[in-house]
Amino acid sequence: MLRRDFLHRASHAAAGVLLASSTVAKRLAAIPALPQKFSASDTVTLGHTGIQTSRLAMGTGTVGSGHHSHQTALGIDGLSRLLLNGYENGLRFFDAADSYGSHPHVAEALKHVDRTTVTVLTKSWSRTAPEMRADLDRFRKELGTDHLDIVLMHCLTEADWTTRFEPVMDVLSEAKQKGIIRAHGCSCHSIEALRAAAKSSWVDVDLARVNPAGAFMDAQPDTVVSVLREMKNNGKVVVGMKILGQGTLRNRQDEAIRSALGLGLLDAFTIGAESIAEQNDLMRRIAAA
């Protein structure tokens, strides 16, 4: 975790330098108007998975590790109220992770909604088959649900992950066949891992870091977008994350949101609000984009 914290701090510093550059300023200024209207609550179908959910997922780990995040700091009642506020406004996509410690918070929100209307995505750091089997059982208990909609291998960085972690992938494939999960995939934290995901027939869903500033991304935006285009051409679901560059683009939210919507590559995207007011503002900005 110490190494990851160091990398986060280094990435944040690099992102600040990048955002200040004239190249990024020009890129943000050049984002065109959108040809159509969008809404955070638009119903989207996630590719061949058949999963229908909202365009916007409610993230529970803007900065998250060690079973803690900015969102879980709100407490179980606070974060569950935030999720329910989104639900009442048409958001049907709950984005959790074991490393965020957000399962109890999501479980509390699920008690108050129709489970069949909600897409629950979560992520596992397991890198062995026994660990993944244990995680699938534990996650369902923690979330209070008999099935998980999407389970991702979390924070992959290895270029050879599709062969190195094949036993883990096999566990998730078996779980999908048994109806324990509906789709599987990965979140990538290196361009090499992202390229491997684009080529893997196993990946149903990829959670990819993308924003117009290149903040906290796997490579420069043009490079990442080209890999995401390959993913879409290969029939994969692409869910965008770090849309606001982990807060780097907090003062340029409209441009960042317009960029995400205008890519034509994201089936949905996740942003973690930290208050109901922030969440409501975010939904308003998406509608106004």
Side-chain angles (χ1 to χ4, degrees):
M1 290 302 177
L2 289 176
R3 179 175 180 272
R4 190 179 182 199
D5 289 343
F6 169 78
L7 291 174
H8 275 172
R9 288 195 294 271
S11 296
H12 195 277
V17 172
L18 181 60
L19 187 60
S21 72
S22 60
T23 300
V24 172
K26 290 177 181 177
R27 185 183 296 140
L28 288 166
I31 297 171
L34 296 173
Q36 67 183 84
K37 288 289 186 180
F38 294 90
S39 170
S41 61
D42 287 339
T43 298
V44 299
T45 301
L46 301 183
H48 63 79
T49 69
I51 296 171
Q52 290 191 322
T53 192
S54 58
R55 186 179 304 281
L56 178 65
M58 292 180 282
T60 61
T62 303
V63 180
S65 64
H67 302 283
H68 180 81
S69 75
H70 286 187
Q71 280 72 28
T72 60
L74 299 172
I76 289 178
D77 288 343
L79 180 48
S80 64
R81 282 198 302 269
L82 183 62
L83 295 171
L84 290 173
N85 179 73
Y87 184 87
E88 289 168 2
N89 284 279
L91 304 187
R92 298 292 187 263
F93 202 164
F94 292 5
D95 172 18
D98 185 35
S99 66
Y100 308 158
S102 59
H103 289 168
H105 309 69
V106 171
E108 179 59 30
L110 289 176
K111 293 176 184 177
H112 305 282
V113 302
D114 179 352
R115 171 68 181 90
T116 65
T117 66
V118 176
T119 299
V120 176
L121 177 153
T122 190
K123 315 171 193 80
S124 167
W125 277 82
S126 292
R127 298 297 189 257
T128 69
E131 288 174 341
M132 182 57 81
R133 288 193 188 94
D135 272 0
L136 292 177
D137 289 339
R138 176 169 61 86
F139 289 4
R140 285 181 292 159
K141 290 177 182 176
E142 290 176 349
L143 288 159
T145 182
D146 62 354
H147 76 279
L148 304 166
D149 297 291
I150 304 170
V151 176
L152 306 181
M153 297 178 66
H154 201 175
C155 202
L156 291 168
T157 58
E158 299 84 355
D160 65 345
W161 72 264
T162 56
T163 54
R164 184 185 300 196
F165 303 129
E166 189 172 358
V168 181
M169 296 159 65
D170 289 343
V171 170
L172 290 172
S173 294
E174 181 182 2
K176 187 169 76 169
Q177 291 172 356
K178 292 180 176 180
I180 294 171
I181 68 176
R182 298 178 66 188
H184 47 59
C186 58
S187 71
C188 297
H189 284 247
S190 79
I191 193 62
E192 294 80 14
L194 193 68
R195 286 185 171 128
K199 292 176 170 56
S200 171
S201 61
W202 177 85
V203 173
D204 297 324
V205 179
D206 184 89
L207 187 61
R209 304 189 289 183
V210 61
N211 60 70
F216 294 92
M217 283 175 57
D218 302 322
Q220 289 298 305
D222 290 348
T223 299
V224 170
V225 167
S226 69
V227 179
L228 299 186
R229 187 170 292 112
E230 179 185 358
M231 280 187 172
K232 290 302 295 179
N233 289 339
N234 288 340
K236 304 183 189 315
V237 174
V238 179
V239 178
M241 64 172 166
K242 305 300 181 190
I243 302 301
L244 302 181
Q246 200 166 298
T248 303
L249 289 166
R250 187 173 294 275
N251 296 325
R252 305 296 295 268
Q253 292 184 63
D254 294 333
E255 294 97 324
I257 289 168
R258 198 161 67 246
S259 174
L261 293 169
L263 284 173
L265 298 173
L266 305 182
D267 296 271
F269 55 88
T270 181
I271 301 177
E274 296 179 26
S275 69
I276 288 176
E278 185 178 343
Q279 185 182 70
N280 289 342
D281 180 66
L282 179 60
M283 291 186 285
R284 180 192 62 77
R285 289 177 184 274
I286 293 172

